[in-house]
Amino acid sequence: MTSPPARFVGRLGSVGCLAAGYAVFQGLFGVLPNSIDGEPARYLVAGVSGLATAACAWLAAALLRARAAAPARTAAPLAAPPTAEPGLLPGLFAAAYDTLATQVDVVDDPALGRLTGWSHALDESDPSRPTPVGTAYGLHSMLELGVPDGRLNTGDLVDTLWRLRLPGGGWSARSQGSEARPEVTALVLGVLARAGASRERLAAEVDLCASAFTRQLDRAGRDSTHVVTTVLRGLLRAAPDSALLPGLREALVDGAISDPRRAHLRCWSHRLDSSFGPLPVRSPSPLHTSQAVVALDRTARVLGGEGAAARAAREDGVRWLLACPDAPHDTCSDLDNLREEVRRPRTDDPTRHEVLNVRHYTATWIVRALLSSGAREIARQDGLESEWRERVEGAVAAVRAGQTEDGVWTWSEQDGSDLRQPMWMTYQGLSALRAHAVWMYRSGSAE
């Protein structure tokens, strides 16, 4: 509804600007006092006033017409006032730290001395001493959380990992026995380096890991996408100048496969070489594609660049993830968790195999791959920013859905395992949510 002044000015404009000006002229001429010097002066004052009124009426009418013709506009929303209430992430991190601090194991081992850390999972029914894998992921989690108080000491965790080192060097998982394995050794070396261990002390272990991780000595490991990417990530932290890194990157690039269902984009399977083992078929895997993208992205940053082949493979991997045809993207099939086995012949009895069961929290890897330094730029170049954002937010929602009230994550798949709260799952959940929170942060300006 228009206001009375607006209606008045509108009507004034409708009778004509000149009529309004003439009316003012006549009115002023009639009321001006005779004391003004002469009749011409009275005409001059009244005339100027009339012309001014006519001009003002014309301008007002033009303004009203312009406002009526313009599209309606809404006022820009005011910025939300700052609040002192914490968001979801601080509460989640605090709960995770409380759980890890209260469930840490401290064991006086007669051979190794005092061990402080965690076993493989937080919900193990039988008490057990800390393991290299559980303690490594626990230390990773502490570093993600920032160790807010003194209930846990990273020095004790670092010392425990060194105490758990095998007599011949290196580390292994609980199910792998007394022979060092490169994926576990690289995991431990990576977190030790992250915690500040000296390069000199790490160097000897790095050399042992690299010398054992050859196709001749560990063909099963060199054929596994999971093992190769794990070794790459660990050594990029512990030994960024290792001569092993370029060769592992090349093997990872060469192991990519083409997927005709997604525009023949390259991606990765759980295996890098179809000629090894009884099952030559390699199927595209969102989990292993994400692991490869993360490893290639980090390798490019640490080594100071990448060749055309490595860059093209990494970019194809990102585009393959963005081409997910399912919806909604917080429950799509690309987010399905996986379980795989790494089978190696035992050195003491080649007729028997050592089996490492690996479970993968797929959503966290997709978050980390799509938040890698080059992924968003690829999406921008291809005009796929909305798809990129939708898939990131969907994967993050899936990660949040797996977190429990006590700040840890639960493996919900019915795969026969009684270890429902593995340490690695909580670390990966915390790491993915922290990476997303860092990406979401804005300092006073819109994106």
Side-chain angles (χ1 to χ4, degrees):
M1 179 179 294
T2 57
S3 64
R7 290 197 298 270
F8 170 76
V9 176
R11 290 179 187 139
L12 185 61
S14 67
V15 300
C17 301
L18 292 178
Y22 181 74
V24 172
F25 167 77
Q26 285 285 60
L28 285 175
F29 188 82
V31 300
L32 286 173
N34 293 330
S35 60
I36 294 181
D37 188 16
E39 189 169 278
R42 294 171 64 195
Y43 273 105
L44 179 62
V45 172
V48 170
S49 300
L51 290 174
T53 301
C56 290
W58 181 83
L59 290 173
L63 177 61
L64 286 177
R65 288 193 298 270
R67 291 180 61 182
R73 295 182 180 180
T74 57
L78 296 176
T83 175
E85 293 297 324
L88 171 67
L89 200 60
L92 188 156
F93 275 21
Y97 182 79
D98 288 343
T99 300
L100 293 174
T102 56
Q103 296 197 33
V104 67
D105 296 317
V106 180
V107 176
D108 288 319
D109 186 275
L112 302 179
R114 172 159 291 197
L115 304 176
T116 302
W118 297 267
S119 55
H120 189 73
L122 291 169
D123 58 342
E124 294 193 29
S125 56
D126 297 327
S128 59
R129 72 174 194 172
T131 66
V133 172
T135 303
Y137 280 117
L139 179 53
H140 265 310
S141 299
M142 289 300 101
L143 298 174
E144 291 288 332
L145 298 172
V147 198
D149 58 49
R151 284 179 287 171
L152 287 169
N153 184 284
T154 56
D156 293 339
L157 302 176
V158 168
D159 183 63
T160 294
L161 287 173
W162 282 116
R163 291 174 185 270
L164 292 173
R165 173 181 172 273
L166 294 170
W171 291 261
S172 66
R174 186 167 55 187
S175 63
Q176 291 175 320
S178 59
E179 183 171 356
R181 291 305 184 188
E183 65 272 22
V184 181
T185 297
L187 167 68
V188 173
L189 291 175
V191 74
L192 287 174
R194 187 181 179 190
S198 68
R199 288 282 177 86
E200 291 76 13
R201 192 174 185 186
L202 294 173
E205 300 300 328
V206 169
D207 290 341
L208 287 173
C209 178
S211 63
F213 195 45
T214 65
R215 181 161 288 277
Q216 292 73 27
L217 297 177
D218 190 2
R219 187 175 181 183
R222 288 294 295 256
D223 183 56
S224 167
T225 304
H226 160 69
V227 173
V228 169
T229 54
T230 300
V231 174
L232 261 173
R233 295 194 315 273
L235 294 189
L236 286 170
R237 280 194 171 112
D241 55 350
S242 172
L244 184 62
L245 294 175
L248 292 182
R249 174 168 64 182
E250 182 179 354
L252 192 58
V253 171
D254 292 342
I257 60 176
S258 175
D259 184 7
R261 293 172 298 179
R262 297 193 188 183
H264 291 278
L265 291 166
R266 279 175 293 177
C267 58
W268 280 264
S269 173
H270 69 294
R271 299 168 63 173
L272 298 174
D273 183 1
S274 61
S275 66
F276 175 71
L279 298 175
V281 177
R282 294 185 293 167
S283 301
S285 165
L287 176 278
H288 295 94
T289 299
S290 298
Q291 290 180 336
V293 167
V294 171
L296 291 175
D297 181 81
R298 292 187 185 179
T299 305
R301 286 186 283 123
V302 172
L303 299 188
E306 59 186 339
R311 181 172 61 253
R314 175 179 56 81
E315 292 179 351
D316 261 15
V318 172
R319 293 185 177 101
W320 188 88
L321 292 171
L322 295 176
C324 172
D326 294 343
H329 289 287
D330 59 340
T331 57
C332 66
S333 59
D334 272 14
L335 299 177
D336 290 347
N337 292 333
L338 296 182
R339 178 177 178 177
E340 69 172 298
E341 293 181 347
V342 180
R343 301 175 64 88
R344 293 181 172 98
R346 289 176 48 173
T347 54
D348 59 340
D349 185 358
T351 64
R352 301 175 63 188
H353 284 77
E354 161 203 296
V355 179
L356 176 67
N357 290 303
V358 184
R359 293 180 290 173
H360 298 290
Y361 194 7
T362 304
T364 64
W365 284 104
I366 290 180
V367 171
R368 293 162 76 176
L370 293 181
L371 291 181
S372 61
S373 58
R376 191 180 183 190
E377 183 59 31
I378 294 168
R380 181 180 288 115
Q381 291 173 0
D382 293 355
L384 298 173
E385 284 189 277
S386 61
E387 289 84 353
W388 174 83
R389 189 179 299 272
E390 183 180 4
R391 283 151 181 78
V392 169
E393 296 300 334
V396 169
V399 173
R400 286 197 299 263
Q403 188 264 336
T404 61
E405 291 183 358
D406 53 359
V408 299
W409 271 257
T410 298
W411 182 267
S412 59
E413 279 72 9
Q414 301 298 320
D415 58 4
S417 173
D418 59 349
L419 302 179
R420 302 295 301 280
Q421 293 183 337
M423 290 293 298
W424 55 263
M425 192 175 190
T426 287
Y427 162 65
Q428 290 177 2
L430 293 172
S431 178
L433 293 186
R434 182 180 180 276
H436 181 252
V438 170
W439 171 77
M440 287 287 291
Y441 174 75
R442 299 290 180 268
S443 179
S445 61
E447 182 182 356

